[in-house]
Every structure is written in C-alpha cells, then in structure tokens.
Amino acid sequence: MVAGNLPVIGVLDLQGGTQEHLEHLGHISGCVAKPVKAPDELQALSGLILPGGESTCLSRLFKLFGLHEAIKREHSRGMKVWGTCAGAILIAREIIDEQPHLALMDIAVHRNAFGSQMDSFNLTANIPEVSGEPIPLTFIRAPKIVRVGPGVKILLRHEDFIAAAEDDRCLATAFHPELTSGLAFHRYFAHKCGVSSELHSDQIEGWTARSWMQVARA
C-alpha cells in the first residue's frame, strides 16, 4: 500500500509496544505508519510489525478479530512481517513443545527461554547488515531462536542462540528495538518494505530511556 506514493507500514494494535513502534517509525523520513487491528486494515500494506506481548494471548486475539488468516493471506501476497519478541514466536514455523501460530518463517523458537521478567537484560551489539553503529538491544522474557531453515539469514548470534534472523519477507528479533533509542532495525525493516530513507544517525536524539518496569506501569 502507498500513501502519497509512500509505502505504509502497519503496527498491530492489540497488545504490546504499538505506540513505541509507531514513534520509532515516525522518526524515519519517507515512512508512513499506522496502527491496525482489523483485517481490512491489512489490505495491501507494505509491511506489518507484530509487537511483543504474550504470544498465546495474541494468537487468540488474532482469531477473535479475524486476523489469523488475513495476515497469512496478505503475507502470501507480498506484505513483509516483522515479529519482535512474542511476534517472533507468532511467525515461527516451529515452537518447541507447542503448536505454531502463523508459521510464516522457517525458524524454531524456544518460548520464554530466559525465564521471568526479572531475567530481562540489555546489551549492545554490532550487526553490520543492519547498521554501521553499535545497536542497543533490550530482552524481556525473550524467546531464543534455536534453528533457522534454508533461505533464512542469521543477523545476530548471542551466546547459545540466534537473536535476529530474516528471509525475503520476514524479520524476527528476540529483543525489543522499540524500547531503546535505536532506529537501526526500524530503518532496516522500512527499507525491506520499500521505504527509501537516509539517516544521519541510527539513534533518536534526546530519547530518554525507560526501564521495562516503567514501561509496564505506563
């Protein structure tokens, strides 16, 4: 979908960091972003972000709102999909000890692999494919990507697991880029969706970090 000849990226507005994703996309020139929660709002989007949250709850909401088949249909027509944290679980073709949900991407994930929210952590990583600058990453009850299939490119490994991967139409991150000052992954996904934008920096100037506990209370 284009708005004034600009690709449109939707952010699923059912649970999770919808506003944080929209804020980050709003800092990228040439990018039009909007919240979506109904099947007809998905039609001809260039891309869709599935925010973090609780994957089982989100899957039930998909079916309640009639989104499950609509997302799969639009993805098959070319819509790019980015799953962050719980969103990565939703797009995985295999979930350890559980049934898959959308099964859009040939990856296997281990849900809640890090334990409780108290086991959340931050780190900074160099991911040359995504940015020439170090990228801040926030993991909250994060899944681990434990396998990728043919055609899936690993973008980041951390210790014993894969933290970011992509194929032609999907991007999966075990972390929350929207809860940092970093714009690199949002710019990267926007480019994947056809947005042509150049940034002087992959950081939001003046952005004030909030802990995951503050975000949960907001």
Side-chain angles (χ1 to χ4, degrees):
M1 179 178 181
V2 294
N5 296 321
L6 297 176
V8 179
I9 297 175
V11 182
L12 193 69
D13 188 16
L14 297 180
Q15 189 189 69
T18 302
Q19 293 305 315
E20 289 84 354
H21 278 295
L22 290 170
E23 177 193 8
H24 278 56
L25 291 171
H27 285 275
I28 300 172
S29 63
C31 181
V32 177
K34 68 174 188 176
V36 298
K37 61 175 60 177
D40 60 350
E41 295 173 329
L42 295 170
Q43 292 178 10
L45 285 178
S46 297
L48 176 68
I49 297 176
L50 305 181
E54 206 289 317
S55 58
T56 303
C57 177
L58 281 166
S59 182
R60 290 172 180 166
L61 289 171
F62 282 175
K63 293 173 183 177
L64 181 65
F65 281 77
L67 288 163
H68 188 273
E69 293 304 320
I71 291 172
K72 294 179 72 171
R73 180 178 63 251
E74 295 304 323
H75 176 259
S76 70
R77 292 178 181 174
M79 180 182 72
K80 309 298 191 297
V81 177
W82 175 16
T84 63
C85 197
I89 297 170
L90 291 169
I91 67 175
R93 188 170 296 174
E94 179 185 354
I95 305 172
I96 304 302
D97 298 326
E98 294 184 28
Q99 292 298 310
H101 302 288
L102 296 170
L104 302 180
M105 187 177 183
D106 191 6
I107 58 175
V109 299
H110 183 191
R111 184 172 175 264
N112 291 341
F114 289 98
S116 73
Q117 285 185 331
M118 298 306 295
D119 298 303
S120 302
F121 63 96
N122 299 301
L123 62 85
T124 301
N126 292 308
I127 310 175
E129 295 91 340
V130 178
S131 175
E133 303 175 10
I135 303 174
L137 309 176
T138 294
F139 293 76
I140 303 175
R141 295 189 68 192
K144 291 183 178 182
I145 302 173
V146 296
R147 179 193 63 79
V148 301
V152 177
K153 181 179 181 179
I154 296 171
L155 296 173
L156 174 64
R157 288 185 183 271
H158 177 66
E159 296 180 346
D160 65 339
F161 69 99
I162 299 161
E166 70 171 338
D167 63 19
D168 289 344
R169 287 185 291 168
C170 285
L171 175 64
T173 58
F175 44 83
H176 291 265
E178 78 282 7
L179 299 183
T180 75
S181 63
L183 284 172
F185 268 94
H186 288 82
R187 176 186 53 77
Y188 189 75
F189 183 66
H191 282 192
K192 198 176 183 75
C193 297
V195 174
S196 178
S197 175
E198 296 297 330
L199 295 175
H200 296 296
S201 173
D202 276 334
Q203 304 294 321
I204 301 176
E205 186 176 351
W207 188 90
T208 302
R210 297 186 296 170
S211 74
W212 62 267
M213 289 180 289
Q214 290 173 315
V215 170
R217 290 197 297 265

